[in-house]
Amino acid sequence: MILTVASGKGGTGKTTVATSLALAITDISPVLLDCDVEAPNAHIFLQPQFDQRREIGLPIPEVDAVRCTGCGRCAEVCQYHAIVVMGGKVLVFPELCHGCGSCTLQCPEGAIEEVPNVLGVLEAGPAKDGIYFAQGVLNVGEPMAVPVIRELKRWRPFPEGRTIIRDAPPGNSCPVVETIQGADFVLLVTEPTPFGLHDLRLAIQLTRELGIPAGVLVNRDGVGDDGVEEFCRKEGIPILMRIPLDQRIGKAVARGEALVEAFPEYLPQFRELYTQIQSLIDSRQDAALPQAMGTRPSNDAKAGWS
Amino acid sequence: MKLAITGGTPQFETQLERRFGRCAYFIIVDTETRAWESFTNPAADARGGAGTQAAQFLANQGVEAVVSGDFGPNAFTALDAASIQMYSAQEGQAETLVDDFLAERLERVTGSTGPAHHGGGRSQGGRRR
Ligand code: SF4
Ligand code: SF4
């Protein structure tokens, strides 16, 4: 099972929830992926020992000044305007380059070679209580988060088949979409305030566009109004758990303690949360099963081959 | 010389549009004859790389100087590589900005003034012709 924990904005307790959920289901040795590559911080709570490392880069163009005639073709074909030709001189903007390779392909002089531009690194290793941990770390000032998240999702330094919890970056932009794509379920952490509701609406819209079922965890329950509650009821979105507003939780988190470690009384609730998500995914898959079966080759056909 | 001014509308009377890469129009003026022409900025709605695209457009038009408000780092790097002089103004009509330019009343831009979008470029010199 792949579960993404997301929230419309930062500071809603998304990482607190993701790490506590992982710590509540250590019996199945989950994997936690910190996909907030611009500011990964889940490691603080799970204390991994990194023993795997990979650099992630994009192939960017490098121009051979001797061969280049300054014809401008590369600049014409680059849809990201990451390469310009000024007065016969070629300029590459690595921060804009998506590594698509068009310029290299189209250069009539064969003057372009592709060289790796390192965007960031992936790190992984065993963490607390049998949890496996992996994170992406984007180089400072590097705007290309998506390729790093994509590689982090694909990376398998751990055995297949383990439950994966992805801690998403804040917001609703491309890196969040990338973190949600391919998940079986999205848990949206929100605050019961008008701001929280605003972000939740956008997040729900996004999960619907991606066709991925979602549920809500209300954090700091009691701070605001019942707008979130009403919205979820109207839209038929399950509220799976509530964590009350409690200054002690914030203080423990600030000290680098995971919520369920500082307050073990939350462990059963997080286990229940996991079970609920599991059954929501299962019931959805059951509903989709007859259709999926129809597309598979029938047993008769298989028998015919043997 | 060919001077470009970033504008919100395609007339010589247009008010200055302060965002270089995202302006709606470029008014390109021949400073000797005051003949002018307006061009839609092809980068106005670009998803990314508006600064570099707009700079490439001006370079292709043979522009030698440009008046705008802010120049982001990529736009600055690209315009500088094309030896296009940059000038910054707060406001004004394109028509009067031409006079300001000729009277040397405008501030010459010698570094990026806009919000840092994505840092600078990497020069990879080709053959100069
Ligand atoms: S397409 Fe090739 S030859 Fe033409 S300007 Fe670009 S690098 Fe130079
Ligand atoms: S690789 Fe693609 S995005 Fe990068 S400069 Fe070449 S054409 Fe542009």
Side-chain angles (χ1 to χ4, degrees):
Chain A
M1 187 230 273
I2 301 174
L3 166 69
T4 294
V5 181
S7 69
K9 66 179 180 80
T12 57
K14 177 178 51 63
T15 301
T16 303
V17 169
T19 52
S20 284
L21 184 59
L23 286 164
I25 55 169
T26 50
D27 53 315
I28 58 165
S29 311
V31 177
L32 193 125
L33 297 189
D34 193 345
C35 299
D36 188 0
V37 298
E38 274 175 69
N41 61 354
H43 63 92
I44 297 168
F45 304 100
L46 299 179
Q47 290 163 14
Q49 305 288 319
F50 293 126
D51 54 14
Q52 306 278 324
R53 202 184 134 89
R54 262 182 68 193
E55 278 194 335
I56 302 300
L58 278 182
I60 66 160
E62 191 170 83
V63 177
D64 178 349
V66 181
R67 280 190 173 177
C68 173
T69 58
C71 72
R73 181 78 186 135
C74 50
E76 272 167 39
V77 300
C78 179
Q79 53 173 315
Y80 304 103
H81 310 290
I83 188 164
V84 297
V85 183
M86 297 292 187
K89 227 168 85 182
V90 182
L91 230 64
V92 176
F93 293 81
E95 310 87 350
L96 297 174
C97 175
H98 284 55
C100 71
S102 297
C103 54
T104 310
L105 216 61
Q106 297 277 337
C107 171
E109 309 299 329
I112 304 182
E113 209 192 316
E114 292 181 341
V115 296
N117 178 39
V118 176
L119 307 175
V121 295
L122 305 185
E123 297 169 314
K128 262 184 201 171
D129 301 339
I131 296 171
Y132 195 85
F133 187 92
Q135 68 177 12
V137 186
L138 201 62
N139 286 354
V140 174
E142 175 56 60
M144 294 277 182
V146 170
V148 176
I149 298 172
R150 191 176 297 143
E151 289 306 317
L152 177 62
K153 282 165 61 180
R154 284 200 195 126
W155 200 28
R156 285 291 173 274
F158 51 86
E160 284 286 353
R162 289 171 73 166
T163 288
I164 298 172
I165 300 170
R166 296 179 188 157
D167 187 6
N172 285 301
S173 56
C174 301
V176 181
V177 175
E178 184 61 43
T179 309
I180 291 177
Q181 261 167 355
D184 299 304
F185 195 88
V186 183
L187 180 63
L188 295 166
V189 180
T190 186
E191 283 177 2
T193 61
F195 291 120
L197 176 59
H198 173 82
D199 293 328
L200 180 63
R201 268 183 211 278
L202 295 175
I204 286 288
Q205 198 182 330
L206 182 63
T207 58
R208 286 194 173 149
E209 274 164 26
L210 295 171
I212 298 174
V216 166
L217 184 149
V218 177
N219 193 17
R220 305 200 185 98
D221 197 19
V223 285
D225 51 27
D226 51 8
V228 165
E229 204 89 8
E230 237 164 70
F231 171 74
C232 288
R233 190 164 353 105
K234 235 185 265 160
E235 298 286 327
I237 302 150
I239 295 183
L240 300 172
M241 188 174 159
R242 290 163 213 273
I243 301 174
L245 176 66
D246 184 341
Q247 304 259 325
R248 295 174 309 153
I249 296 178
K251 281 189 189 141
V253 169
R255 282 196 302 268
E257 281 178 66
L259 167 63
V260 293
E261 286 186 328
F263 305 98
E265 59 268 33
Y266 279 100
L267 274 170
Q269 286 191 56
F270 274 100
R271 283 193 198 116
E272 172 58 23
L273 171 66
Y274 183 74
T275 313
Q276 268 184 289
I277 291 172
Q278 185 86 64
S279 63
L280 282 170
I281 296 172
D282 287 348
S283 64
R284 193 178 149 103
Q285 275 168 354
D286 285 349
L289 211 56
Q291 263 175 304
M293 293 279 275
T295 61
R296 285 190 202 143
S298 72
N299 286 335
D300 289 346
K302 259 187 217 153
W305 299 332
S306 58
Chain B
M1 91 191 291
K2 265 185 160 181
L3 173 71
I5 295 161
T6 55
T9 60
Q11 294 91 28
F12 205 18
E13 297 78 32
T14 180
Q15 280 294 325
L16 178 77
E17 161 73 67
R18 299 199 75 243
R19 301 168 306 162
F20 169 72
R22 302 272 176 201
C23 69
Y25 297 95
F26 289 113
I27 313 296
I28 298 183
V29 192
D30 181 325
T31 52
E32 277 88 59
T33 65
R34 292 181 82 88
W36 63 273
E37 227 181 318
S38 71
F39 296 85
T40 304
N41 174 11
D45 299 316
R47 288 187 64 189
T52 52
Q53 188 183 5
Q56 179 78 72
F57 177 76
L58 293 189
N60 292 353
Q61 296 295 324
V63 164
E64 290 156 86
V66 55
V67 181
S68 187
D70 291 317
F71 298 89
N74 288 342
F76 178 83
T77 306
L79 290 167
D80 196 45
S83 305
I84 297 176
Q85 300 169 15
M86 290 160 262
Y87 293 87
S88 177
Q90 287 301 320
E91 55 181 5
Q93 286 186 327
E95 220 180 338
T96 51
L97 287 167
V98 174
D99 298 327
D100 290 340
F101 170 78
L102 291 172
E104 296 181 10
R105 279 195 293 262
L106 296 176
E107 183 196 342
R108 177 89 184 261
V109 175
T110 52
S112 163
T113 56
H117 303 295
H118 296 321
R122 207 179 274 177
S123 173
Q124 305 192 340
R127 194 190 302 161
R128 273 204 183 258
R129 293 200 271 192

